[in-house]
Amino acid sequence: MKFFLDTANMEEIERINQLGLVDGVTTNPTIIAKEGKDFETVIKEICDLVEGPVSAEVTSLDSEGMIREARVIHQWAENIVVKIPMTEAGLKAVHTIAKEGIKTNVTLIFSAAQGLMAAKAGATYVSPFLGRLDDIASDGIQLVSDLRVIFDNYDFKTEIIAASIRNLGHVEAAALAGSDIATIPGTLFEKLWSHPLTTNGIAQFEADWQAYQAKNQ
Ligand code: G3P
């Protein structure tokens, strides 16, 4: 399973990237706005730092505007993926730019039918939003499982990015459901490797080892 960071915060990306476990980065207009910096500058900085794919989202709502933006964003770096919202205009745009070799991440996927349409249009990635489905008492993980079955049934090469991940349970469930990728906020990423029983276990081993050494000196 690949791990992407769902952030545009450079300090966070630099720190976590040192672990060697970051396979890519995803952003959206909300995430970019939080940093208060120029969009192109931030995306280029991230692309320089991270080897894997970096998603940058268009803001046009019509297909001509999306295509125009996608062609510009695509030039910013080799590892750019253009994020396109799941609308009729978005599907048209993906169909056009996929043929030009532009990688796309179709975002705001909330149903299996939307994911299927995006894959058929030629999306490189689809992003089902688990947390936002769970927020409305729907089942985000079921959507990832359904997309896995559908893509496997028809041998779509489109990769599933489990997005809108809010907790460790989402990461584990997305892995069990066969998601290709989980895109994880930095604050959550840093909790993935810790467990209170591990911390307690280390403290106990250390205390016992010191007592043993003191006795045998
Ligand atoms: O990048 C898209 C997605 O991960 C956003 O998550 O928490 O705003 O629903 P959230």
Side-chain angles (χ1 to χ4, degrees):
M1 190 190 204
K2 286 177 267 188
F3 288 154
F4 288 0
L5 274 177
D6 199 25
T7 180
N9 184 284
M10 284 306 292
E11 283 162 29
E12 207 167 54
I13 297 171
E14 271 175 32
R15 191 175 63 246
I16 300 172
N17 195 37
Q18 285 172 8
L19 279 171
L21 300 174
V22 175
D23 301 299
V25 170
T26 51
T27 67
N28 60 38
T30 305
I31 286 173
I32 295 289
K34 260 191 219 158
E35 298 309 309
K37 293 195 220 158
D38 172 63
F39 178 37
E40 181 176 345
T41 310
V42 178
I43 294 296
K44 283 182 172 171
E45 277 176 12
I46 300 172
C47 287
D48 278 349
L49 192 66
V50 175
E51 273 182 35
V54 175
S55 290
E57 189 159 342
V58 299
T59 50
S60 297
L61 299 178
D62 61 299
S63 55
E64 291 74 22
M66 288 177 185
I67 293 166
R68 210 171 28 247
E69 274 188 73
R71 286 176 181 152
V72 172
I73 292 172
H74 171 67
Q75 299 298 326
W76 290 351
E78 297 249 314
N79 49 343
I80 277 282
V81 173
V82 179
K83 215 170 176 185
I84 306 270
M86 175 62 220
T87 58
E88 184 183 354
L91 287 176
K92 264 197 220 166
V94 169
H95 185 66
T96 301
I97 61 181
K99 284 188 283 194
E100 297 173 16
I102 297 177
K103 290 190 173 155
T104 55
N105 172 359
V106 178
T107 188
L108 292 161
I109 298 280
F110 292 100
S111 74
Q114 287 183 318
L116 175 57
M117 294 297 280
K120 195 161 169 59
T124 318
Y125 304 96
V126 290
S127 291
F129 275 31
L130 310 193
R132 292 192 197 184
L133 275 172
D134 288 359
D135 288 346
I136 57 159
S138 196
D139 191 343
I141 292 302
Q142 186 59 49
L143 174 56
V144 174
S145 303
D146 291 348
L147 288 171
R148 179 74 284 146
V149 172
I150 291 168
F151 289 1
D152 289 348
N153 279 351
Y154 298 101
D155 203 21
F156 281 115
K157 300 296 174 220
T158 306
E159 291 190 70
I160 303 167
I161 304 179
S164 185
I165 283 195
R166 304 274 168 77
N167 54 54
L168 301 182
H170 276 153
V171 178
E172 292 172 354
L176 285 167
S179 191
D180 299 286
I181 301 147
T183 189
I184 306 167
T187 42
L188 181 63
F189 200 100
E190 293 180 310
K191 290 183 187 144
L192 279 175
W193 59 81
S194 61
H195 193 286
L197 289 178
T198 308
T199 311
N200 294 348
I202 290 168
Q204 185 66 58
F205 286 155
E206 203 186 358
D208 291 345
W209 186 249
Q210 276 172 13
Y212 162 79
Q213 280 190 316
K215 213 194 276 179
N216 291 290
Q217 263 173 7

